[in-house]
Each structure stands twice: as structure tokens, then as C-alpha cells.
Amino acid sequence: DDCYLSDKSILKGIVVLEWKRKLIDKGNPSIQSIGMKQIQQSPLMRSPVELLEVTVPGISVDDNGGVNIRGSRTGDVGYYIDGVKSTSLSGIPGRAIGNMSVYTGGVPAQYGDVTGGVIIVETVSYFDLYNAHKARQQSK
């Protein structure tokens, strides 16, 4: 972004604001999030289900790869990828994930009839990839 100053302006300092997604929201402690940076730096990036199991308390994965949240059965977990309901997280590459949020209890009605919990995946947009590419080009 461009910033223009008039001839008589005096720049006294720079203020840098940074926003971080909270891992646990005080208003809704039953939702936990994993951000893109944490996903990209994890050795389990290639397996989003294993990453969830290690990162979010209350999630376990059975021998068949099914996700259980707080003791629920495998079929009682809802999956949403970019707002579209899915049956699992299989086939999603770790590099494509921008954010994962998990409702481990108190699931809002918008996610339908699930009793175990909901896993919400937001994929990386074209603009995120483009900005990362531009940042790498500028650092060279």
C-alpha cells in the first residue's frame, strides 16, 4: 500500500498493529483454532487429522482414521470445508489449509445435527498464495 505525506507533514513514529487469532475464545471456549503458520510449521502438516489429534484436546483418531471428539462415535463429527459439508478431511493437502477450527462442544445450530463436534477447514485463497510469493520475491 502507498502512503503519501504532504510537504508540511512530520512523521513522528510508526505504529505497527498485529492481529492474532486466539487459540481459545473467552466467549466460546468450546471452539479452538489452528492458524496457517502453525499448520505450515508442523511436522504433521501432511496429515490434518493427526495434527488435530495432537493440537486440540479431546480429539482422538481411531485405527481406521475416523475422528472422535470427546468420546463421540466417528460418524457424529461434522466436517465443513470452505462452508461445504463433507464426509471427512481426506484428500486435503496440508499446504492448502489456511485455518482449522474445531467445535468440541456447544455446536451452533447452523452446522446441523451433529452430536460429537464440528471441524471447519478454510483453505488458502489465491490472494494469500500471491502475497506469500510477493514477500519471498522481495526478501531475495
Side-chain angles (χ1 to χ4, degrees), residues 21 39 80-83 96-101 120-124:
R21 183 181 293 262
I39 294 168
Y80 287 84
I81 302 166
D82 289 333
I97 299 174
N99 183 52
M100 288 193 294
S101 299
I120 303 162
V121 176
E122 297 170 9
T123 58
V124 179

Side-chain angles (χ1 to χ4, degrees), residues 12-51:
K12 294 185 179 187
I14 297 174
V15 177
V16 178
L17 300 177
E18 184 176 338
W19 178 82
K20 283 187 170 182
R21 183 181 293 262
K22 297 176 185 177
L23 292 178
I24 298 175
D25 184 7
K26 291 180 191 176
N28 190 358
S30 66
I31 186 170
Q32 297 183 3
S33 296
I34 304 169
M36 183 167 64
K37 191 171 189 177
Q38 186 178 3
I39 294 168
Q40 300 293 330
Q41 294 175 347
S42 172
L44 297 172
M45 179 181 69
R46 296 187 188 270
S47 176
V49 172
E50 290 180 22
L51 177 63

Side-chain angles (χ1 to χ4, degrees), residues 51-123:
L51 177 63
L52 285 172
E53 181 181 28
V54 171
T55 309
V56 180
I59 291 186
S60 61
V61 179
D62 61 21
D63 295 336
N64 298 326
V67 177
N68 305 309
I69 297 178
R70 293 190 178 179
S72 68
R73 289 177 276 181
T74 302
D76 293 340
V77 176
Y79 303 94
Y80 287 84
I81 302 166
D82 289 333
V84 178
K85 190 170 185 176
S86 180
T87 56
S88 70
L89 294 181
S90 63
I92 300 177
R95 288 216 177 272
I97 299 174
N99 183 52
M100 288 193 294
S101 299
V102 180
Y103 281 95
T104 57
V107 179
Q110 72 187 36
Y111 296 112
D113 188 23
V114 294
T115 56
V118 175
I119 299 172
I120 303 162
V121 176
E122 297 170 9
T123 58

Side-chain angles (χ1 to χ4, degrees), residues 125-137:
S125 73
Y126 168 79
F127 295 107
D128 293 332
L129 295 172
Y130 179 75
N131 289 335
H133 173 71
K134 291 288 280 183
R136 282 193 303 270
Q137 294 298 323

